[in-house]
Amino acid sequence: MAVIIGVGTKSELKIRAVRAALERIPAIGKVSAYELRSGETESGVGIQPFGFEQIFAGAKARAYAAIEMHKADIGIGIENGLVEIDGDWFDPPGVVIIDYKRTLVGRALGACLPIPASMVREVKERQTELGIVIQEHAGGGEKDPHKF
């Protein structure tokens, strides 16, 4: 019987990241008996999270929702947000993993990519998400800060 892993997103970028991470885990990567399911979930923290607290709250909400949506054994939530550190802005992804018993298995932060203050101002003024601003500046494609 396959282990069902639910991911609370429709973002192909985040789904690819989860697949890549799973392949690096010996207990999962060597066994093809898992099924990855994904779907849009709500973060509960608004369109653009600010600060680590909102980032992890959003990721946790998405992980719980993924468990419910997919009747999954493991739920993974990923939430990016903006964080200011010593006057500089960053866009770290927060990841939360829970199991079917609703037990927190783990949480982590990804790479904290620097974001120009002008983009953060634009996000705040337009009350939109950073990904939309990045798409516009990069000429389309995914909401990937690496593209800018």
Side-chain angles (χ1 to χ4, degrees):
M1 187 160 117
V3 173
I4 298 172
I5 301 172
V7 184
T9 187
K10 287 192 325 186
S11 165
E12 285 300 320
L13 180 68
K14 291 178 180 179
I15 294 165
R16 284 195 312 268
V18 170
R19 282 189 201 286
L22 290 172
E23 293 303 318
R24 292 179 174 264
I25 300 171
I28 293 178
K30 292 181 182 175
V31 177
S32 61
Y34 74 88
E35 180 182 340
L36 189 62
R37 299 178 182 174
S38 61
E40 188 62 35
T41 56
E42 293 297 319
S43 69
V45 295
I47 193 163
Q48 179 58 65
F50 282 88
F52 292 116
E53 188 173 320
Q54 286 188 2
I55 291 169
F56 279 116
K60 187 175 180 182
R62 291 184 190 281
Y64 279 111
I67 288 273
E68 295 299 321
M69 176 185 285
H70 303 294
K71 306 298 183 234
D73 300 299
I74 297 170
I76 300 175
I78 304 171
E79 186 73 23
N80 282 67
L82 289 166
V83 177
E84 185 178 19
I85 302 172
D86 294 332
D88 294 320
W89 287 93
F90 299 89
D91 178 45
V95 180
V96 170
I97 302 170
I98 61 167
D99 67 14
Y100 68 97
K101 295 178 186 176
R102 311 309 191 261
T103 303
L104 178 68
V105 174
R107 69 178 127 206
L109 283 170
C112 293
L113 296 174
I115 301 298
S118 60
M119 282 190 169
V120 176
R121 278 192 299 279
E122 192 173 343
V123 166
K124 289 179 177 181
E125 288 168 3
R126 293 174 49 194
Q127 296 182 353
T128 189
E129 64 178 281
L130 177 63
I132 298 295
V133 173
I134 287 172
Q135 276 182 321
E136 292 169 357
H137 285 272
E142 295 178 315
K143 300 177 186 178
D144 184 356
H146 290 100
K147 300 266 183 187
F148 181 69

